[in-house]
Amino acid sequence: MNLPSPLAGLLATLLLAAAALCAVSLWRRRARHERAAAAAEANHVVMGLGMAAMVLPATADLVPPAAGAVAFGAVGVVWAARLLALRHRGGRWGRRSAATAAARTRRTCC
């Protein structure tokens, strides 16, 4: 990726900030045993760091494009299999009733 330096720096800063927020969320979940949410947050930390590395000119060419595409595809397949296994076991997969969502909104905003 060939971006002007100020734009690349701004994007990298935003991506690193997002990764830091996810790392804080991951740290806060450590005692609650929320494995699925913690795994998702860990994924977001790694993804944010990887995207920041792709944007910065100094680190953009560390991984060849073909190897990056293979790694991205492999991780996608693993996450899809994990989601399907979670769904098969009857775990939460983004399904919430309207009443649960409304109750959570009332608790957090008011």
Side-chain angles (χ1 to χ4, degrees), residues 9 18-19 22 31 33-34 36 39 47-48 53 58 73 76 79-80 94-95 107:
C22 290
H33 305 291
E34 298 176 17
M47 184 174 52
W79 274 100
R95 296 178 302 186
R107 277 187 293 178

Side-chain angles (χ1 to χ4, degrees), residues 41-97:
E41 291 296 345
N43 182 44
H44 289 116
V45 170
V46 173
M47 184 174 52
L49 294 174
M51 287 191 306
M54 286 190 301
V55 170
L56 292 173
T59 57
D61 295 329
L62 289 178
V63 177
V70 168
F72 181 79
V75 170
V77 167
V78 168
W79 274 100
R82 285 184 51 92
L83 284 174
L84 290 173
L86 182 63
R87 173 76 178 218
H88 180 63
R89 285 185 304 204
R92 281 184 20 184
W93 186 24
R95 296 178 302 186
R96 257 188 219 137
S97 68

Side-chain angles (χ1 to χ4, degrees), residues 4-47:
S5 292
L7 181 59
L10 176 67
L11 286 174
T13 301
L14 291 172
L15 292 166
L16 290 173
L21 287 173
C22 290
V24 168
S25 177
L26 178 63
W27 181 76
R28 291 181 68 201
R29 292 178 192 275
R30 74 190 186 289
R32 286 189 245 152
H33 305 291
E34 298 176 17
R35 292 180 59 184
E41 291 296 345
N43 182 44
H44 289 116
V45 170
V46 173
M47 184 174 52

